[in-house]
Amino acid sequence: MAVAICAAVTLIYGYTGSCIFLLITTKYTRCKMRLFILRHPVKLIGENMINLRYGFGLAVVLILTACATPAPIASQEELSKAEREGQLLPIYNKLEGEKIKLEAGSEQVKQVQAQMEQIGKKMAVNKQQQIAATLVAAKDANGMLTYSDFEQAIGELAEVKNWDAPFHARWQLTYAQQLQDMKGEIDQRVTQIQKLGQEQISKKLSMMQEVANLYGGEKGAQYEQLRNDAIVDLYNRAVIAVDGKSYEEAKSMLESVAVGDPEFIGLEEQKLRIETGTFEQRFWDALGAGHPDEAYQLFYQLSLSPGFPMVKDQISQTAGDISNYFIALGKKEMEKGRLSEAYLAYKRANYIRRKINPKAPMSKDEKKFIKVVERRFERAQKKNISEYALAYLFVLKELSPKHALVKRNIRTLKGLVLEEAAVKLSPSPFSNSSEERSFGRGLSSKVSQFLLQKIPDDIRILEREQFDRLQRKMKEPGPSSYLSHYYLQGEILDAEVDTSEKASNRTRRVITGYDTQSNPKYQEWLALSKREKRDVTKPSELKRVVRREDVNIKATITKKVGVFSAIFRLVDPFTAKVIFVDSVTQKQSYEDESIEGMELGKFKQEAKVADLPSESEILESLADLVSEKIGERLIEELDKPEQKYAQYAQIAIDEDNLEAAASNYAYATTLALQKDVDAQVYMESLRIYVFKADK
């Protein structure tokens, strides 16, 4: 309306009047009319208002234009703010409401529709980004999504269709394809599950879990329930099998239950029932077949299992029967005079009783056996057979840990047997191939020190006189006895230092002094005129120059090469037979130079003497290296004597030399205990063979 009034004012009052009117009109009028009139006054009314008819027509057009309603669209500033705050949807809904009020096909409708499409595209992209972020967050540890995740994504994508139909169609197709692929994978597994029989129940349960995981959501929960029902049914059938003592069948079913649900209530209880029932069944079968050793091993393995404390009470009656069986067996073996077999029977009875009830008292027959062992110990003591005496103490300690004889004697006897078991080595001074130098005694001493440092528990170093006295008390070991006494002999083959000198002359150019000579710049200065000389500083008439000369420096390169070699051997003191022989050679080189002193003018060369170790120092160093090498070779030969004693014990058993077998096992046991390595096998063999050896 304001535009029409402005046009009328222009016709009536001219250009000046229209300008005044513009100053008091609304902002909308200024926006629509002011610039147009200011820029085109002539076109509006003509220069002198000649064409009044044209002006009136223009006024009519302006009046009709002013009466039109502007399109209700949002400014760019409003859109930017709404997008930042996530409030595009209210603007979109408002535009949708305004669009209904406008005349269909009008310019305003087109403007509103264009802005709605612009906003809709932005909202569609934002929604898809939200859906994608939700899917990323929903991935499991393996980066997988479920069928339910894609169903939910398609549902959330539905509202995008109203905002941007082509965009919605593209993403709808993407998610639908993924959903279809997953459904095909699920259907494939379901078909496989239906084909699996009861003998493949573990695989069936595992695949049912896979299907539940693939479905996810409500469908996944339904399939999970089907799987749980199958586990419960399997467990119930396993319980029925246990009740019927079909332990293998029940065990297989419970293993499948554990695959399906490791924490299924009652699972551990039924496992214990199976373990107990299987043990009793197999134990009595072994005894019935006349295999007591197998029966005992079954109990022994059961006692080591983590579940033993839980089944101990259930098998106590059976265990008591087992213990009584071995006590009766031990009595029978004692009556036959087979003490090693009696020991094994009582040992097993004792172990079973202590596992079931540590406070249970010994039987009368077991006490009788203990008395027999005591008498044998005392007899061995009187005969000074420390190996046998120690073996009997080990038996008493096993059957009656607090026995008085054990407390009083075991430490002393261990020490005595250990001294017998340790390898005895008597090193003789190494002989010398040259009379000029004698390193033999020193080398022998160095080898001894090295061995005592490296294997102190395995070896004893004895002087020759002490070794010979010990040897006279011993009898020559047989082929089934480990030779533990040796002479160490050797010879120094070479212990020399070769010294060589080589003259060396070097020419060097050095500064020997300074000379004076005419200064060329002074001559140039003399050639200048008086006037030129006033502007130039007078240079010195002479200048100092360095005098350089070649000098010959005499030097002598001295090189010392030390060589030390020795041969050594282990000798059987009883037969003088060489058991082991080897040789060692070590070499060291040293080099330095001596320089002859001289002076020439200002130059002075200081004299220098080659700094090299003496021959004796070089040979002492080489002797240390050779002794270490010899020691290392001897350790390879003499190391771990407990294993060698055990090997010779087995040789003695094969040769029916039971005395040697018992002694060797005693040595192996004490050495292993001293070195804190596993001695159980050696000790068990010692306990058995001492009864067989000590007639």
Side-chain angles (χ1 to χ4, degrees):
M1 197 64 178
V3 177
I5 294 172
C6 179
V9 170
T10 302
L11 289 173
I12 299 171
Y13 297 103
Y15 179 70
T16 303
S18 67
C19 291
I20 295 172
F21 176 76
L22 285 172
L23 293 175
I24 60 174
T25 54
T26 64
K27 178 181 178 181
Y28 177 78
T29 305
R30 289 199 298 272
C31 292
K32 296 293 183 179
M33 295 298 299
R34 184 171 55 181
L35 290 176
F36 181 82
I37 295 174
L38 288 174
R39 292 178 180 177
H40 308 288
V42 177
K43 291 182 181 179
L44 273 174
I45 56 176
E47 187 175 357
N48 296 309
M49 299 180 64
I50 298 173
N51 196 344
L52 184 60
R53 197 182 336 176
Y54 173 79
F56 180 76
L58 177 61
V60 172
V61 171
L62 291 173
I63 290 170
L64 292 175
T65 303
C67 293
T69 303
I73 59 176
S75 67
Q76 189 60 44
E77 182 180 351
E78 290 174 324
L79 289 177
S80 298
K81 181 181 179 182
E83 186 172 8
R84 287 195 303 271
E85 298 176 355
Q87 296 296 321
L88 285 174
L89 184 59
I91 294 178
Y92 184 89
N93 292 337
K94 182 179 178 182
L95 289 173
E96 194 171 30
E98 293 292 338
K99 178 183 173 183
I100 297 173
K101 300 176 184 178
L102 298 174
E103 183 179 353
S106 65
E107 189 64 31
Q108 289 92 336
V109 168
K110 293 179 181 179
Q111 293 178 13
V112 170
Q113 182 63 38
Q115 192 166 66
M116 286 178 65
E117 290 177 0
Q118 177 188 0
I119 296 172
K121 290 181 182 297
K122 289 182 179 180
M123 289 196 301
V125 171
N126 291 343
K127 185 64 177 179
Q128 166 53 25
Q129 290 176 347
Q130 292 174 8
I131 294 172
T134 301
L135 290 176
V136 169
K139 289 182 177 180
D140 61 15
N142 297 320
M144 302 298 293
L145 292 168
T146 66
Y147 187 87
S148 175
D149 292 330
F150 288 114
E151 279 190 325
Q152 186 177 352
I154 290 175
E156 292 180 5
L157 191 68
E159 61 179 327
V160 174
K161 186 175 183 179
N162 296 328
W163 305 335
D164 190 343
F167 184 85
H168 169 268
R170 289 198 306 274
W171 281 101
Q172 168 78 15
L173 181 62
T174 299
Y175 290 140
Q177 184 61 52
Q178 291 174 321
L179 197 66
Q180 183 180 351
D181 293 344
M182 185 160 285
K183 187 63 169 64
E185 192 173 345
I186 290 172
D187 290 343
Q188 183 181 7
R189 280 175 167 75
V190 170
T191 301
Q192 291 176 346
I193 290 171
Q194 293 171 348
K195 293 179 180 179
L196 294 175
Q198 287 300 321
E199 69 280 0
Q200 296 174 296
I201 187 64
S202 295
K203 185 176 181 181
K204 187 174 184 179
L205 291 174
S206 178
M207 293 189 69
M208 290 178 75
Q209 184 64 59
E210 291 177 11
V211 171
N213 293 340
L214 287 172
Y215 264 130
E218 186 176 349
K219 291 181 180 178
Q222 292 173 357
Y223 221 87
E224 182 78 25
Q225 186 58 50
L226 289 175
R227 179 178 175 276
N228 291 339
D229 292 343
I231 292 174
V232 171
D233 177 67
L234 184 62
Y235 174 80
N236 291 335
R237 289 192 289 117
V239 172
I240 294 172
V242 173
D243 294 339
K245 297 186 178 181
S246 299
Y247 297 123
E248 291 302 321
E249 181 184 357
K251 184 179 180 181
S252 176
M253 292 186 203
L254 290 180
E255 286 174 351
S256 297
V257 171
V259 171
D261 184 0
E263 298 180 359
F264 191 91
I265 297 174
L267 182 62
E268 292 303 319
E269 178 186 353
Q270 296 305 320
K271 283 183 178 180
L272 290 177
R273 287 184 65 196
I274 290 175
E275 192 170 10
T276 304
T278 302
F279 161 71
E280 292 178 341
Q281 194 176 68
R282 294 175 63 189
F283 174 79
W284 290 115
D285 288 346
L287 284 184
H291 301 143
D293 291 344
E294 181 183 343
Y296 173 75
Q297 286 301 320
L298 287 170
F299 179 86
Y300 182 76
Q301 293 300 326
L302 179 64
S303 70
L304 298 179
S305 69
F308 180 73
M310 291 174 278
V311 302
K312 185 172 69 173
D313 293 339
Q314 287 91 324
I315 66 168
S316 60
Q317 181 61 48
T318 302
D321 295 339
I322 301 170
S323 180
N324 292 334
Y325 171 86
F326 282 115
I327 291 172
L329 181 62
K331 180 182 178 181
K332 185 185 296 185
E333 296 294 349
M334 277 188 67
E335 291 171 352
K336 295 179 180 179
R338 306 198 323 176
L339 293 183
S340 60
E341 288 78 4
Y343 156 70
L344 287 174
Y346 287 129
K347 160 194 169 71
R348 291 167 178 176
N350 180 274
Y351 180 83
I352 294 168
R353 183 180 62 253
R354 284 189 289 109
K355 279 295 181 180
I356 298 298
N357 182 8
K359 296 181 180 180
M362 261 187 202
S363 68
K364 182 175 62 175
D365 293 324
E366 288 175 286
K367 291 178 180 178
K368 287 182 180 179
F369 182 75
I370 292 292
K371 290 294 182 183
V372 171
V373 177
E374 291 172 358
R375 290 194 295 270
R376 284 180 164 253
F377 165 76
E378 292 167 357
R379 186 177 70 184
Q381 282 280 70
K382 289 178 182 178
K383 292 182 178 181
N384 290 323
I385 308 177
S386 301
E387 297 86 352
Y388 290 2
L390 181 62
Y392 289 129
L393 285 184
F394 284 144
V395 173
L396 290 175
K397 185 178 180 181
E398 181 182 28
L399 300 181
S400 181
K402 297 181 180 180
H403 199 288
L405 287 178
V406 175
K407 293 181 179 179
R408 286 199 305 265
N409 299 285
I410 195 165
R411 184 172 183 178
T412 302
L413 281 172
K414 275 185 181 178
L416 291 173
V417 176
L418 182 62
E419 284 303 311
E420 290 293 325
V423 173
K424 314 299 188 301
L425 187 68
S426 177
S428 302
F430 281 43
S431 60
N432 296 276
S433 59
S434 171
E435 296 180 359
E436 296 179 3
R437 294 187 178 89
S438 177
F439 290 96
R441 184 170 294 278
L443 184 62
S444 175
S445 177
K446 290 176 187 291
V447 172
S448 299
Q449 292 173 9
F450 183 84
L451 292 173
L452 288 174
Q453 181 182 2
K454 296 297 183 180
I455 51 173
D457 294 327
D458 292 344
I459 197 164
R460 300 290 183 270
I461 304 296
L462 303 178
E463 294 294 335
R464 184 60 178 265
E465 295 77 9
Q466 184 183 6
F467 188 89
D468 290 342
R469 285 197 305 271
L470 180 64
Q471 180 188 355
R472 285 193 291 270
K473 296 178 183 179
M474 297 173 55
K475 62 179 181 178
E476 182 178 346
S480 57
S481 296
Y482 170 53
L483 178 63
S484 60
H485 295 65
Y486 302 95
Y487 287 137
L488 173 61
Q489 300 174 350
E491 180 182 357
I492 297 174
L493 302 176
D494 194 6
E496 297 291 334
V497 177
D498 179 33
T499 303
S500 61
E501 294 183 348
K502 181 180 179 182
S504 172
N505 293 327
R506 298 193 297 270
T507 300
R508 290 176 54 190
R509 190 164 186 80
V510 299
I511 297 174
T512 58
Y514 299 92
D515 296 323
T516 57
Q517 64 182 29
S518 175
N519 188 353
K521 291 187 177 180
Y522 177 75
Q523 299 300 325
E524 293 175 0
W525 181 81
L526 287 177
L528 297 175
S529 64
K530 291 183 179 180
R531 186 173 183 178
E532 290 173 332
K533 287 180 180 179
R534 289 198 299 266
D535 299 330
V536 179
T537 303
K538 179 181 177 182
S540 59
E541 185 175 351
L542 300 173
K543 71 172 183 177
R544 189 184 186 195
V545 294
V546 174
R547 182 171 69 251
R548 299 179 185 276
E549 295 183 63
D550 292 336
V551 297
N552 187 31
I553 298 175
K554 296 181 179 181
T556 301
I557 299 173
T558 304
K559 184 175 183 180
K560 291 185 176 183
V561 179
V563 178
F564 200 116
S565 63
I567 187 171
F568 62 97
R569 63 188 71 87
L570 289 176
V571 179
D572 181 349
F574 298 98
T575 64
K577 180 181 177 181
V578 175
I579 306 300
F580 173 75
V581 64
D582 202 352
S583 63
V584 175
T585 300
Q586 291 292 303
K587 181 185 290 187
Q588 286 182 335
S589 297
Y590 302 88
E591 185 176 303
D592 200 2
E593 70 174 0
S594 300
I595 300 176
E596 189 177 297
M598 65 168 296
E599 291 188 24
L600 179 62
K602 296 288 185 180
F603 173 75
K604 183 178 182 180
Q605 171 64 56
E606 297 289 347
K608 177 182 176 298
V609 179
D611 184 15
L612 295 171
S614 65
E615 289 190 8
S616 61
E617 289 174 334
I618 293 173
L619 291 176
E620 280 294 332
S621 175
L622 286 169
D624 290 339
L625 293 175
V626 168
S627 66
E628 288 183 8
K629 290 296 182 183
I630 292 175
E632 290 171 358
R633 304 279 178 85
L634 290 174
I635 287 175
E636 292 176 6
E637 182 67 20
L638 303 176
D639 192 23
K640 298 179 181 178
E642 68 277 7
Q643 295 181 6
K644 295 183 174 68
Y645 278 121
Q647 291 170 4
Y648 276 91
Q650 188 57 52
I651 293 173
I653 293 169
D654 295 340
E655 296 176 350
D656 201 27
N657 187 350
L658 302 182
E659 293 85 355
S663 296
N664 282 328
Y665 276 130
Y667 299 147
T669 301
T670 51
L671 282 170
L673 291 173
Q674 177 68 17
K675 295 160 70 174
D676 198 24
V677 298
D678 187 13
Q680 185 60 37
V681 174
Y682 307 146
M683 188 179 294
E684 181 64 22
S685 299
L686 172 61
R687 291 176 181 138
I688 293 171
Y689 282 99
V690 70
F691 289 108
K692 296 183 177 183
D694 188 16
K695 301 298 184 180

